[in-house]
């Protein structure tokens, strides 16, 4: 689950459903947050998603964030999406299998200046991506399975 590289975590994968709460795990991870470059998490619900986003925003060297949102059936807040967009070091973002409400537009991600890859695969409520045309650096966009487009 952990891979060491130059005394840092190269990647970290956590299934949050195996723990009592997301905050329990995040509390432990805060000690190494500046050493995490890739974070792969499966939030159990939308509250856990918001907790992961807040934690990811504090990871100064985070380059890749991947979250499978299949268990997040409630709304994803605009605040969480905007917080994701403000992670300056993020070059790859993957949010997949979201079926709830709140991720209708990809507009917040158009402001991510370092974002090179954006995967919103199987996010069925997504219906607007026109704002992504403003992104100068986005090279890869995966919208497969986004039936709302």
């Amino acid at each position: 689950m952990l891979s060491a590289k130059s005394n840092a975590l190269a990647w970290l994968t956590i299934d949050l459903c195996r723990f009592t709460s997301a905050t329990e795990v995040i509390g432990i991870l805060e000690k190494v947050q500046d050493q995490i470059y890739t974070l792969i998490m499966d939030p159990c619900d939308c509250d856990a998603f918001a907790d992961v986003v807040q934690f990811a925003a504090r990871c100064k060297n985070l380059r890749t964030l991947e979250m499978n949102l299949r268990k997040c059936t409630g709304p994803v807040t605009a605040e969480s999406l905007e917080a994701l967009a403000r992670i300056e070091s993020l070059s790859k973002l993957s949010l997949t299998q979201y079926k709830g409400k709140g991720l209708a537009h990809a507009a917040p991600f158009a402001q991510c200046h370092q974002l090179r890859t954006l995967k919103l695969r199987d996010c069925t409520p997504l219906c607007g991506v026109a704002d992504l045309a403003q992104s100068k650096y986005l090279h890869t966009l995966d919208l497969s399975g986004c039936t709302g487009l």
Side-chain angles (χ1 to χ4, degrees), residues 15-17 41-53 67-78 80-81 84 95-103 122-125:
D15 181 355
L16 291 176
C17 294
M41 292 188 136
D42 291 340
C44 294
D45 54 37
C46 292
D47 290 336
F49 171 77
D51 292 341
V52 171
V53 169
M67 286 193 274
N68 186 316
L69 303 176
R70 71 184 174 279
K71 297 174 187 166
C72 182
T73 57
V76 168
T77 65
S80 291
L81 295 177
L84 279 175
L95 302 175
T96 59
Q97 296 187 2
Y98 181 63
K99 311 291 185 216
K101 296 180 181 177
L103 183 57
D122 297 315
C123 291
T124 55

Side-chain angles (χ1 to χ4, degrees), residues 89-111:
S89 60
L90 202 60
S91 62
K92 180 181 178 185
L93 176 61
S94 178
L95 302 175
T96 59
Q97 296 187 2
Y98 181 63
K99 311 291 185 216
K101 296 180 181 177
L103 183 57
H105 298 279
F109 307 121
Q111 303 306 316

